[in-house]
Amino acid sequence: MTVHLHWFLPTGGDGRTLVDRHAYGPNQAGPVRGVRPPDIEYLAQIAKAAEQLGFEAVLTPTGTWCEDAWLTTVALTQHTERLKFLVAFRPGLVSPTLAAQMAATYQRVTRGRLLLNVVTGGDSAEQRRFGDRLDHDRRYARTDEFLSVVRGVWRGEPYDFHGTHYQVDGGLTALPPDPVPQLFFGGSSAAAGPVAARHADVYLTWGEPPTQVKEKIDWIRSLAEREGRTVRFGIRLHTISRDSSAEAWASAHRLLDDLDADTVAAAQAALGRSESVGQRRMLALHGGSRDELEIYPNLWAGVGLVRGGAGTALVGSHAEVADRIEEYHALGVEHFVLSGYPHLEEAYWFGEGVIPELAARGLVESAPTGAPVLVAGGR
């Protein structure tokens, strides 16, 4: 079993800082140095780099502070040839039949380059911006129905569904998607697990220490077995990989340089209001403190001091980062959805440094052709 490597498209902006200035209040100081707007030219650079370096797909986020994932990625298919796009979307904001039709059209337009990341949503304030007023558990119940309808209408024949949230008569995707997009799904709550077991092709977790990841894998695997299904597993992590461990840790520490106590406190207060169980697990890894941020060898929780979602990074030499990937892989993790700040440069550090390491260990089929290989001291 080889690994599938995916990168990230920062459609909310990119740069050399961890501070999410959009989410924690307006920036009163004017333009911020080193912050890159998510224009199509810059995002195309990242997409092209990911394709050249050997990444299979790029995850594109959804939410208030980023560009629309469907429109952005379909534009980027015109700048790439093989790269797939893991499009994040929120069930409930559009009809499931329409979402199924959109996915089918996307597959035909791009010749099969769509993957779907189902984001139920863990923040009621964010959901209300889009007119959604359901609470946490009811959102997962709606997602369950939504995905039942999507898979039903992809069969290519009229499909009826009568549930609490959706009433569909004769739902139909006249031309079903070919291939059917894989569904990536995450969620750490009791409400999320059964939905993942029934519908996910890949269950995606944020980067917790291996023991905690194994607990999640065992949990979802047992739920899926009861449904007569098999689910694959993925993990969402940042990376800081360098020619030496010392260089990598120096880069990680530099990311903290512009984080004063007030910035961290404001971010932690905002993140602490989230209903997401996964977000609470991320916060528990560091407790809002800069002390002991290396929570497991080469696993650093510094990102989660100020950013929501994936809050941990693999930090170390290329071989050390490959060691951790190999360790997660041994637990059953096949898909690694990675990112770094800035995303263009970090894609090259990982692609030129870690991917050849993984190839040498037989964890990827081969190192990408046409991409230069990074050697120690060569950069």
Side-chain angles (χ1 to χ4, degrees):
M1 180 179 66
T2 57
V3 301
H4 300 265
L5 298 173
H6 313 287
W7 198 242
F8 185 85
L9 278 175
T11 58
D14 198 11
R16 300 180 179 277
T17 176
L18 291 178
V19 179
D20 191 339
R21 291 176 169 84
H22 288 301
Y24 307 123
N27 172 35
Q28 303 296 334
V32 180
R33 289 193 329 181
V35 172
R36 305 171 189 177
D39 57 55
I40 198 68
E41 290 79 11
Y42 179 63
L43 295 176
Q45 286 186 62
I46 296 172
K48 289 178 180 179
E51 182 171 74
Q52 180 195 34
L53 291 164
F55 292 97
E56 181 177 331
V58 285
L59 171 63
T60 311
T62 184
T64 300
W65 309 113
C66 52
E67 300 289 359
D68 177 76
W70 294 91
L71 296 175
T72 302
T73 56
V74 81
L76 290 171
T77 64
Q78 306 306 300
H79 295 267
T80 52
E81 296 178 3
R82 303 174 307 280
L83 188 70
K84 296 179 182 179
F85 294 89
L86 179 49
V87 174
F89 77 101
R90 297 187 181 187
L93 303 187
V94 297
S95 120
T97 306
L98 176 58
Q101 184 183 43
M102 290 165 61
T105 299
Y106 196 115
Q107 287 295 63
R108 284 189 293 278
V109 168
T110 66
R111 295 178 174 86
R113 293 162 64 187
L114 176 66
L115 307 170
L116 289 172
N117 181 34
V118 180
V119 180
T120 298
D123 184 344
S124 288
E126 168 76 354
Q127 294 297 123
R128 286 195 295 269
R129 294 190 186 108
F130 292 89
D132 180 14
R133 307 195 73 83
L134 293 187
D135 62 24
H136 176 277
D137 286 2
R138 286 195 294 164
R139 288 198 297 270
Y140 276 103
R142 180 181 61 192
T143 294
D144 194 0
E145 293 189 9
F146 184 100
L147 294 176
S148 294
V149 174
V150 167
R151 289 203 183 274
V153 301
W154 275 345
R155 297 172 187 166
E157 55 188 35
Y159 176 79
D160 296 338
F161 183 89
H162 300 284
T164 301
H165 300 279
Y166 297 105
Q167 304 288 323
V168 175
D169 296 313
L172 177 67
T173 300
L175 294 174
D178 184 20
V180 171
Q182 291 185 76
L183 294 181
F184 288 63
F185 182 95
S188 299
S189 69
V195 183
R198 281 190 285 271
H199 299 288
D201 296 304
V202 178
Y203 175 81
L204 193 60
T205 180
W206 286 329
E208 298 176 353
T211 300
Q212 292 171 247
V213 170
K214 184 180 185 304
E215 290 172 355
K216 277 191 175 180
I217 288 174
D218 291 345
W219 171 51
I220 296 298
R221 186 173 281 152
S222 66
L223 291 175
E225 287 174 354
R226 296 176 201 172
E227 299 287 339
R229 299 186 70 243
T230 300
V231 176
R232 296 185 297 280
F233 297 93
I235 194 167
R236 175 80 181 89
L237 289 156
H238 304 283
T239 70
I240 305 173
S241 174
R242 296 292 185 270
D243 295 337
S244 71
S245 183
E247 290 177 87
W249 284 109
S251 295
H253 295 150
R254 277 196 297 272
L255 286 174
L256 297 183
D257 286 347
D258 66 346
L259 302 183
D260 57 37
D262 289 342
T263 298
V264 173
Q268 290 296 294
L271 295 171
R273 292 191 289 270
S274 174
E275 298 168 305
S276 167
V277 174
Q279 185 64 71
R280 291 201 294 270
R281 291 169 69 106
M282 284 284 101
L283 295 177
L285 294 177
H286 53 70
S289 170
R290 297 172 187 254
D291 300 332
E292 299 181 9
L293 287 173
E294 189 178 7
I295 57 175
Y296 187 81
N298 308 108
L299 185 63
W300 182 65
V303 178
L305 287 175
V306 290
R307 294 193 70 93
T312 53
L314 297 178
V315 180
S317 68
H318 305 310
E320 288 171 336
V321 171
D323 287 343
R324 295 288 77 76
I325 289 174
E326 190 169 15
E327 184 174 5
Y328 284 117
H329 179 255
L331 299 177
V333 177
E334 295 181 53
H335 293 263
F336 291 80
V337 184
L338 308 169
S339 54
Y341 301 94
H343 288 76
L344 182 60
E345 287 90 325
E346 289 297 338
Y348 278 102
W349 278 114
F350 186 93
E352 296 173 347
V354 181
I355 290 180
E357 283 276 350
L358 296 173
R361 303 177 192 201
L363 291 176
V364 295
E365 292 184 359
S366 63
T369 58
V373 177
L374 182 67
V375 296
R379 167 167 202 149

